[in-house]
Coordinates of all heavy atoms in Angstrom, one line a residue:
S20 N -107.2 129.7 139.1 CA -106.3 128.8 138.4 C -105.7 127.8 139.4 O -105.1 126.7 139.0 CB -105.1 129.6 137.8 OG -104.3 130.2 138.8
L21 N -105.8 128.0 140.7 CA -105.2 127.2 141.7 C -106.3 126.4 142.6 O -106.0 125.3 143.1 CB -104.4 128.0 142.7 CG -103.3 128.9 142.2 CD1 -102.6 129.7 143.3 CD2 -102.3 128.1 141.3
A22 N -107.5 126.9 142.6 CA -108.5 126.3 143.5 C -109.9 126.3 142.8 O -110.1 127.1 141.9 CB -108.5 127.1 144.8
I23 N -110.8 125.5 143.3 CA -112.1 125.4 142.9 C -113.0 125.6 144.1 O -112.5 125.4 145.2 CB -112.5 124.1 142.2 CG1 -112.3 122.9 143.1 CG2 -111.7 124.0 140.9 CD1 -112.7 121.6 142.5
R24 N -114.2 126.0 143.9 CA -115.2 126.1 145.0 C -116.1 124.9 145.1 O -116.7 124.5 144.1 CB -116.1 127.3 144.9 CG -116.7 127.7 146.3 CD -117.6 128.9 146.1 NE -116.9 130.1 145.8 CZ -116.2 130.8 146.6 NH1 -116.1 130.5 147.9 NH2 -115.6 131.9 146.2
E25 N -116.0 124.2 146.2 CA -116.8 123.0 146.4 C -118.3 123.4 146.7 O -118.6 124.6 147.0 CB -116.2 122.1 147.5 CG -114.8 121.7 147.2 CD -114.3 120.6 148.1 OE1 -114.1 120.9 149.3 OE2 -114.2 119.4 147.6
Q26 N -119.2 122.4 146.8 CA -120.6 122.6 147.0 C -120.8 123.2 148.4 O -121.8 124.0 148.6 CB -121.4 121.3 146.9 CG -121.5 120.8 145.5 CD -122.4 119.6 145.4 OE1 -122.9 119.1 146.4 NE2 -122.8 119.3 144.1
N27 N -120.0 123.0 149.4 CA -120.1 123.6 150.7 C -119.5 125.0 150.7 O -119.4 125.5 151.8 CB -119.5 122.7 151.8 CG -118.0 122.5 151.6 OD1 -117.4 123.0 150.7 ND2 -117.4 121.7 152.5
L28 N -119.0 125.5 149.6 CA -118.5 126.8 149.3 C -117.1 127.0 149.8 O -116.5 128.2 149.8 CB -119.4 127.9 150.0 CG -120.9 127.9 149.5 CD1 -121.7 129.0 150.1 CD2 -120.9 128.0 147.9
T29 N -116.4 126.0 150.4 CA -115.0 126.1 150.7 C -114.2 126.0 149.5 O -114.6 125.4 148.4 CB -114.6 125.1 151.8 OG1 -114.8 123.8 151.2 CG2 -115.5 125.2 153.0
L30 N -112.9 126.4 149.5 CA -112.0 126.3 148.4 C -111.2 125.0 148.5 O -110.8 124.6 149.6 CB -111.1 127.5 148.3 CG -111.7 128.9 148.1 CD1 -110.6 129.9 147.8 CD2 -112.8 128.9 147.1
K31 N -111.0 124.4 147.4 CA -110.2 123.1 147.4 C -109.2 123.3 146.2 O -109.5 123.7 145.2 CB -111.1 122.0 147.1 CG -110.3 120.6 147.0 CD -111.2 119.5 146.6 CE -110.5 118.2 146.5 NZ -111.4 117.0 146.1
L32 N -107.9 122.9 146.5 CA -106.8 123.0 145.5 C -107.2 122.1 144.3 O -107.7 121.0 144.5 CB -105.5 122.6 146.2 CG -104.9 123.6 147.2 CD1 -103.6 123.0 147.8 CD2 -104.6 124.9 146.6
R33 N -106.8 122.6 143.2 CA -107.0 121.8 142.0 C -106.0 120.6 142.0 O -106.4 119.5 141.5 CB -106.8 122.6 140.7 CG -107.8 123.7 140.5 CD -107.6 124.5 139.2 NE -108.7 125.4 139.0 CZ -109.8 125.2 138.4 NH1 -110.1 124.0 137.9 NH2 -110.8 126.2 138.2
R34 N -104.8 120.8 142.5 CA -103.9 119.8 142.6 C -103.0 120.0 143.9 O -102.8 121.1 144.3 CB -102.9 119.7 141.4 CG -103.5 119.5 140.1 CD -102.5 119.2 139.0 NE -101.3 120.1 139.1 CZ -101.2 121.3 138.5 NH1 -102.2 121.7 137.7 NH2 -100.1 122.0 138.6
G35 N -102.6 119.0 144.5 CA -101.8 119.1 145.7 C -100.5 119.9 145.6 O -100.1 120.5 146.5
D36 N -99.9 119.9 144.4 CA -98.6 120.6 144.2 C -98.8 122.1 144.0 O -97.8 122.8 143.9 CB -97.9 120.0 143.0 CG -98.6 120.1 141.7 OD1 -99.8 120.6 141.7 OD2 -98.1 119.9 140.6
L37 N -100.0 122.5 144.1 CA -100.3 124.0 144.0 C -100.4 124.6 145.4 O -100.6 125.9 145.5 CB -101.6 124.2 143.3 CG -101.6 123.8 141.8 CD1 -103.1 124.0 141.2 CD2 -100.6 124.5 141.0
R38 N -100.2 123.9 146.4 CA -100.4 124.4 147.8 C -99.4 125.6 148.1 O -99.8 126.6 148.7 CB -100.2 123.3 148.8 CG -100.4 123.7 150.3 CD -100.4 122.6 151.2 NE -101.4 121.6 150.9 CZ -102.8 121.8 151.2 NH1 -103.1 122.9 151.9 NH2 -103.7 120.9 150.8
K39 N -98.2 125.4 147.7 CA -97.2 126.5 148.0 C -97.6 127.8 147.3 O -97.5 128.9 148.0 CB -95.8 126.1 147.5 CG -94.7 127.1 147.9 CD -93.3 126.5 147.5 CE -92.3 127.6 147.8 NZ -90.9 127.1 147.4
R40 N -98.0 127.7 146.1 CA -98.4 129.0 145.3 C -99.7 129.6 146.0 O -99.8 130.8 146.1 CB -98.7 128.7 143.9 CG -97.4 128.3 143.1 CD -97.7 127.9 141.7 NE -98.5 129.0 141.0 CZ -99.1 128.8 139.8 NH1 -99.0 127.6 139.2 NH2 -99.7 129.8 139.2
F41 N -100.6 128.7 146.4 CA -101.8 129.2 147.0 C -101.5 129.9 148.3 O -102.0 131.0 148.6 CB -102.8 128.0 147.3 CG -104.1 128.4 147.9 CD1 -105.2 128.8 147.1 CD2 -104.3 128.5 149.2 CE1 -106.4 129.2 147.6 CE2 -105.5 128.9 149.8 CZ -106.5 129.2 149.0
Q42 N -100.7 129.3 149.1 CA -100.3 129.8 150.4 C -99.5 131.1 150.3 O -99.7 132.1 151.1 CB -99.5 128.8 151.3 CG -100.3 127.7 151.7 CD -101.5 128.1 152.7 OE1 -101.3 129.0 153.5 NE2 -102.6 127.4 152.6
F43 N -98.7 131.2 149.3 CA -97.9 132.4 149.0 C -98.8 133.6 148.7 O -98.7 134.7 149.2 CB -96.9 132.2 147.8 CG -96.2 133.4 147.5 CD1 -95.1 133.9 148.2 CD2 -96.4 134.1 146.3 CE1 -94.4 135.0 147.9 CE2 -95.8 135.3 145.9 CZ -94.7 135.7 146.7
G44 N -99.9 133.3 147.8 CA -100.8 134.4 147.5 C -101.7 134.7 148.7 O -102.0 135.9 148.9
L45 N -102.1 133.7 149.5 CA -102.8 134.0 150.7 C -102.1 134.9 151.7 O -102.6 135.8 152.3 CB -103.3 132.7 151.4 CG -104.2 132.8 152.6 CD1 -105.5 133.6 152.3 CD2 -104.5 131.4 153.2
T46 N -100.8 134.6 151.9 CA -99.9 135.3 152.8 C -99.9 136.8 152.3 O -99.9 137.8 153.1 CB -98.5 134.8 152.8 OG1 -98.6 133.4 153.4 CG2 -97.6 135.6 153.7
N47 N -99.8 137.0 151.0 CA -99.7 138.4 150.5 C -101.0 139.1 150.6 O -101.1 140.3 150.9 CB -99.2 138.4 149.0 CG -97.7 138.2 148.9 OD1 -97.0 138.8 149.6 ND2 -97.4 137.4 147.9
F48 N -102.1 138.3 150.5 CA -103.5 138.9 150.8 C -103.6 139.4 152.2 O -104.1 140.5 152.5 CB -104.5 137.8 150.4 CG -105.9 138.3 150.5 CD1 -106.5 138.9 149.4 CD2 -106.7 138.2 151.6 CE1 -107.8 139.4 149.4 CE2 -108.0 138.6 151.6 CZ -108.6 139.3 150.5
M49 N -103.1 138.6 153.1 CA -103.1 138.9 154.5 C -102.2 140.2 154.8 O -102.5 141.0 155.6 CB -102.7 137.8 155.4 CG -103.6 136.6 155.3 SD -103.0 135.0 156.0 CE -102.9 135.5 157.8
R50 N -101.1 140.2 154.1 CA -100.2 141.3 154.2 C -100.8 142.6 153.7 O -100.7 143.7 154.4 CB -98.9 141.1 153.4 CG -97.9 142.2 153.4 CD -96.8 141.9 152.4 NE -95.8 142.9 152.4 CZ -95.8 144.0 151.6 NH1 -96.9 144.2 150.9 NH2 -94.9 144.9 151.6
E51 N -101.6 142.5 152.6 CA -102.4 143.7 152.2 C -103.4 144.2 153.2 O -103.5 145.4 153.5 CB -103.1 143.4 150.9 CG -103.9 144.6 150.3 CD -104.6 144.3 149.1 OE1 -104.6 143.1 148.6 OE2 -105.3 145.2 148.6

């Protein structure tokens, strides 16, 4: 819901204002 996968297989945010939510989830993933 926050990101798409580009042709080079990296993730790209769907919109710039989603960065905080994406980073919050990534931080919790790293915490796990």
